[in-house]
Amino acid sequence: MKQITLTLCFIVFSTLIQASLPAEIENLNFNQKMRYASSVYELGNYIEAAQIYEVLVEERENHAEAMFMLAQSYRMARDYEKAENAYKNLLDEHSNRYPEARFYYARMLKNNTSYAEAKRQFNEFKSAASGRKYKDYLTLAKMEIEACDFAMIETAKNISDLDISISHLGESVNSQQTDYAPAYHGGKLYFASFHTDSLRRGPYHVRGQYFSHIYSVKVEDGSTSGRPEVVRGPVNGSDFHSGNGVFSEDGRRFYFTKCTDFGNANIECAIYVSSFQNNQFGEAKKLNQQVNKPGFSNTQPAVGLSNDGKDILYFSSDRDGGSGGFDIWYSVIQPGGNASAAVNLGETVNTVGNEKTPFYDQRTATLYFSSDGHPGLGGADIFKVKGSKSNWETVINMGVPVNSPADDMYFAIGEEPNIYYLSSNREGNLGTFGKTCCDDLYRVVDVLIPDFYIKATVSEEKPDGDRVDISNVQIQLIDVTNEADRKVIDEQILSGSDLFYKIEHDRHYQLTLRKDDYFTESQFIDTRHLAESDTFNLDIAMRKIEVGQTYTLSNIYYDFGKAVLRPESKETLEQLYQLLVDNPSIIIEISSHTDHVGTDEANLKLSQERAQSCVDFLLEKGIPQSQLKARGYGKSRPVAPNLNPDGTRNEEGMQRNRRTEFEVIGDLDGAEVIYE
């Protein structure tokens, strides 16, 4: 069932340009015309192929192959009504000649919302088709029967009662050809289009040739502003198709698909990356063969972020080792641009059908993608699933009105957490070759406001790490969205151990817990830029203030034998800085310790310099000297053995001894102490 054409590489229909019946075939005999029509079909010119097969079906009535190929041409051109009629005519005359024709007939019925009849036809196909040749068809037919049941329930919903609205972007953005692959970044909507009209002709237009190029249009106050402009730079060209653009999480890299048409249906699609700085696109570099596997189509990039800050590239490919046609794969992009070996997302996401157009929302750890292999309303539906890499939860159909009986693809997050964009050939598009020929861009607004809750458990943590119950804790919930106008939302005395709040969307909160003779705990909860309801489960441990108690500062690093702080140490010191800002009366000693390697004098000197480097960091940020003392203890205060019983080095013990700590050694005026 795999069809390696530009259609699936880009999910665009580049050949939907009006074509007249070629005069040169009028004098050919029937078989020669059939061969000519077949070559046109194989080139992906489905409209022209359909026009020729229409003539051939009239010329030789009930010719099985001509009837079958006419239906196939209509289907590939996404003229669902004509395809349905053509398949029905074929089945009426040649019911057993092409078993797969009944499967496609049922799909066209489904695309035309005749779900009950489609279900009946899928069941009839299952009863009639057999053998290894139809294994994938039978698997899909079983899914499609479930899809018909789902569609009948879903389409019975009253759209006006739903919390999602969808609107066409209009003629100012959409053209009469295919517009697809939306990607929002920096106040602009980027997308791809075939510039076949005068408004779209620009520096990359070649008369008589039409290539997909990447455009951008400004987005202001919830709508597009001005005319789309072709993107300047190496991501576009006059001799190749470009599309499927997406920005990295930090906005510094732009991944996109570049397809070169070598003629005779020989199209090579690969994923490239371009740097993006000062609104300029840099050189387009082709990713290595781990992503762009030779001999296969590799397309439609999406980008997530790994825990260590690397790009996780999700993309669609028909390479071997997958579940069916096109699957979604991922590769981790290493520093310097090298891609790791591609890994299939697995059978939770991928099916024997086609999974395409991935988009990854890093904020909610959600992958959006299109599929015709999961139960849906029509052709390709949009689905979502939480997870990352190869670890995924349950796939969910986005339902109406996001999905329609047509092909719905390229779901992407817009300028706000509740705004999305998609591409669809649903009825209402601007195409001129049938009601469902061409993809247009749509804007989706989720008007449902998500719900957020804070659920906290409060206890006392003893020095040995044990937890015990605590009572009479003073609770304060503060709205700090506007730092200049902090608002206390609630104040109470917590009598038990559990705390529960319902909080609002698009706000930033500080939850503060106080108790005499204890460090005050502050937790921050941020619901801004979150699109889905969530509960913040907090486990808060309060610690009693004890002068002389030491607290280890984890993740304080120096280069070997040096006292200069490494960059990764500063996040921990930022937390200590906040403690001192919130508690301007406490006095702390920052101490540094070493292992046993080296002389006493050298270790004492090194540890003093390291402690002082932490103090200097805090002084530079404005903490007064009166609150800070630096002390180096060298190797005089080990907390673990440096040597094993046999005299060899105890690496774990030595690591524990190389530490930085702080200790509360006094209080300037008895003010409250806050620990965070």
Side-chain angles (χ1 to χ4, degrees):
M1 298 185 67
K2 194 179 295 184
Q3 298 178 12
I4 306 176
T5 67
L6 186 62
T7 311
L8 285 180
C9 295
F10 264 118
I11 310 300
V12 299
F13 293 82
S14 63
T15 56
L16 297 182
I17 299 169
Q18 190 68 45
S20 59
L21 192 63
E24 61 267 25
I25 74 168
E26 292 182 359
N27 297 323
L28 299 179
N29 64 39
F30 182 85
N31 289 333
Q32 289 172 327
K33 290 177 182 176
M34 284 288 293
R35 286 194 293 272
Y36 183 90
S38 177
S39 66
V40 172
Y41 180 92
E42 291 300 322
L43 286 171
N45 297 331
Y46 303 118
I47 292 290
E48 184 179 351
Q51 291 173 330
I52 300 171
Y53 283 120
E54 285 173 355
V55 173
L56 292 171
V57 168
E58 290 182 5
E59 184 175 322
R60 189 165 298 185
E61 189 176 357
N62 297 332
H63 188 275
E65 184 181 355
M67 295 178 74
F68 177 67
M69 291 307 300
L70 175 60
Q72 292 284 82
S73 299
Y74 284 144
R75 178 175 64 85
M76 293 301 291
R78 301 196 295 183
D79 191 331
Y80 305 136
E81 290 185 351
K82 287 185 177 180
E84 177 189 326
N85 291 330
Y87 282 119
K88 185 178 186 305
N89 292 336
L90 172 68
L91 292 170
D92 287 345
E93 299 295 333
H94 308 282
S95 60
N96 299 318
R97 181 72 179 271
Y98 297 97
E100 64 269 36
R102 191 170 301 279
F103 174 86
Y104 289 127
Y105 174 50
R107 273 203 163 173
M108 295 303 97
L109 287 165
K110 181 166 169 265
N111 280 124
N112 292 321
T113 70
S114 299
Y115 296 119
E117 178 61 17
K119 180 179 179 180
R120 191 180 74 81
Q121 292 293 333
F122 281 124
N123 276 312
E124 189 169 337
F125 168 77
K126 280 182 61 183
S127 299
S130 62
R132 186 175 182 84
K133 177 181 178 181
Y134 299 105
K135 178 182 176 182
D136 286 350
Y137 284 97
L138 290 167
T139 300
L140 286 173
K142 181 180 178 181
M143 178 278 298
E144 291 284 21
I145 292 169
E146 297 176 18
C148 289
D149 290 333
F150 167 79
M152 284 186 277
I153 295 172
E154 191 69 15
T155 54
K157 294 178 179 178
N158 188 339
I159 300 296
S160 62
D161 293 337
L162 301 178
D163 296 304
I164 296 177
S165 65
I166 184 166
S167 58
H168 188 268
L169 289 191
E171 296 183 11
S172 62
V173 174
N174 289 306
S175 70
Q176 293 182 349
Q177 303 302 322
T178 289
D179 306 285
Y180 68 107
Y184 177 82
H185 178 73
K188 292 182 178 180
L189 181 67
Y190 293 80
F191 66 97
S193 177
F194 284 83
H195 50 245
T196 59
D197 57 24
S198 60
L199 291 173
R200 297 289 177 85
R201 294 184 180 184
Y204 306 107
H205 177 72
V206 178
R207 186 174 181 83
Q209 298 182 23
Y210 300 101
F211 290 94
S212 171
H213 291 148
I214 297 171
Y215 292 79
S216 69
V217 62
K218 292 181 180 179
V219 177
E220 296 178 343
D221 299 325
S223 62
T224 56
S225 174
R227 280 287 184 185
E229 297 181 356
V230 66
V231 169
R232 306 280 180 152
V235 299
N236 283 319
S238 60
D239 59 351
F240 61 86
H241 297 282
S242 54
N244 306 319
V246 64
F247 288 89
S248 61
E249 191 70 17
D250 60 9
R252 296 178 180 177
R253 291 166 299 286
F254 184 73
Y255 295 89
F256 68 103
T257 303
K258 177 179 175 180
C259 287
T260 303
D261 189 346
F262 297 103
N264 298 321
N266 181 17
I267 299 171
E268 177 187 285
C269 288
I271 296 173
Y272 287 69
V273 62
S274 170
S275 62
F276 186 73
Q277 295 181 350
N278 300 320
N279 290 319
Q280 299 291 322
F281 290 92
E283 177 187 359
K285 298 179 180 179
K286 185 177 180 180
L287 296 182
N288 65 23
Q289 293 187 3
Q290 301 287 10
V291 168
N292 293 312
K293 189 171 184 178
F296 299 92
S297 289
N298 310 286
T299 182
Q300 300 163 0
V303 186
L305 196 64
S306 67
N307 291 334
D308 56 357
K310 298 173 183 174
D311 289 345
I312 302 176
L313 185 76
Y314 298 95
F315 64 99
S316 186
S317 176
D318 62 349
R319 65 186 61 199
D320 50 6
S323 299
F326 274 73
D327 277 10
I328 300 176
W329 302 69
Y330 82 86
S331 172
V332 179
I333 309 301
Q334 304 296 330
N338 286 328
S340 67
V343 179
N344 191 283
L345 265 58
E347 294 183 355
T348 298
V349 173
N350 292 314
T351 69
V352 297
N354 295 290
E355 280 65 50
K356 303 159 289 190
T357 69
F359 175 86
Y360 194 79
D361 182 6
Q362 186 69 31
R363 300 168 302 181
T364 60
T366 302
L367 177 74
Y368 298 92
F369 66 98
S370 291
S371 172
D372 62 7
H374 290 281
L377 298 175
D381 269 23
I382 296 170
F383 298 82
K384 67 178 180 178
V385 59
K386 281 187 171 292
S388 65
K389 295 185 177 178
S390 296
N391 185 22
W392 303 99
E393 298 178 8
T394 303
V395 170
I396 299 172
N397 187 299
M398 295 288 287
V400 296
V402 170
N403 288 315
S404 72
D407 289 322
D408 305 292
M409 304 167 290
Y410 288 110
F411 194 80
I413 303 298
E415 60 271 25
E416 297 291 342
N418 67 325
I419 294 175
Y420 313 88
Y421 293 93
L422 62 81
S423 183
S424 176
N425 68 318
R426 64 186 65 193
E427 290 190 28
N429 70 78
L430 300 180
T432 59
F433 310 110
K435 292 188 293 186
T436 53
C437 75
C438 304
D439 292 294
D440 277 358
L441 298 175
Y442 293 80
R443 191 169 189 261
V444 182
V445 179
D446 186 350
V447 297
L448 178 64
I449 299 175
D451 293 322
F452 296 100
Y453 303 91
I454 298 173
K455 185 177 181 181
T457 300
V458 184
S459 61
E460 178 185 343
E461 181 178 342
K462 296 293 186 180
D464 60 4
D466 286 345
R467 298 283 190 92
V468 297
D469 291 340
I470 192 171
S471 60
N472 298 320
V473 177
Q474 300 173 25
I475 306 295
Q476 192 174 56
L477 181 66
I478 309 168
D479 186 337
V480 295
T481 308
N482 183 355
E483 190 62 35
D485 185 24
R486 296 163 62 96
K487 297 178 181 179
V488 177
I489 303 300
D490 183 70
E491 288 184 292
Q492 60 173 289
I493 302 296
L494 185 65
S495 56
S497 60
D498 294 328
L499 179 67
F500 185 83
Y501 281 112
K502 186 179 188 302
I503 54 178
E504 296 182 9
H505 174 245
D506 202 31
R507 311 303 293 173
H508 191 202
Y509 294 94
Q510 178 180 341
L511 180 66
T512 301
L513 293 79
R514 298 183 176 89
K515 184 176 173 62
D516 290 345
D517 300 324
Y518 285 78
F519 288 111
T520 293
E521 290 286 339
S522 288
Q523 299 273 348
F524 290 90
I525 303 96
D526 195 349
T527 65
R528 294 171 298 184
H529 311 300
L530 297 180
E532 297 185 11
S533 299
D534 199 1
T535 298
F536 297 88
N537 292 293
L538 307 178
D539 185 9
I540 303 174
M542 300 193 71
R543 291 186 262 186
K544 203 164 189 177
I545 300 172
E546 297 183 24
V547 175
Q549 177 70 39
T550 59
Y551 303 90
T552 300
L553 294 168
S554 58
N555 302 321
I556 300 292
Y557 301 111
Y558 310 87
D559 288 332
F560 180 76
K562 296 181 180 180
V564 178
L565 285 165
R566 285 166 56 180
E568 55 265 43
S569 306
K570 294 181 180 179
E571 182 177 346
T572 298
L573 288 176
E574 287 285 354
Q575 297 176 19
L576 182 57
Y577 163 74
Q578 191 62 47
L579 180 150
L580 294 166
V581 168
D582 292 338
N583 300 272
S585 67
I586 65 171
I587 306 169
I588 66 168
E589 176 187 276
I590 298 178
S591 60
S592 182
H593 305 263
T594 68
D595 56 33
H596 73 298
V597 178
T599 65
D600 291 350
E601 181 180 0
N603 278 316
L604 198 62
K605 181 176 182 294
L606 178 61
S607 63
Q608 180 66 38
E609 291 174 348
R610 286 180 169 178
Q612 188 61 48
S613 68
C614 294
V615 168
D616 290 342
F617 175 87
L618 297 169
L619 290 173
E620 289 176 6
K621 290 185 68 66
I623 301 300
Q625 180 68 69
S626 58
Q627 281 187 269
L628 302 169
K629 294 189 181 299
R631 182 73 179 272
Y633 288 95
K635 58 183 178 180
S636 64
R637 294 188 176 183
V639 293
N642 287 303
L643 298 175
N644 294 313
D646 61 1
T648 59
R649 289 188 175 189
N650 184 327
E651 298 295 342
E652 182 179 349
M654 293 171 66
Q655 179 63 45
R656 290 181 59 194
N657 289 330
R658 296 190 295 268
R659 68 195 188 279
T660 299
E661 300 172 332
F662 81 90
E663 175 185 345
V664 178
I665 60 174
D667 193 325
L668 293 175
D669 57 13
E672 181 183 61
V673 176
I674 298 177
Y675 180 76
E676 186 178 15

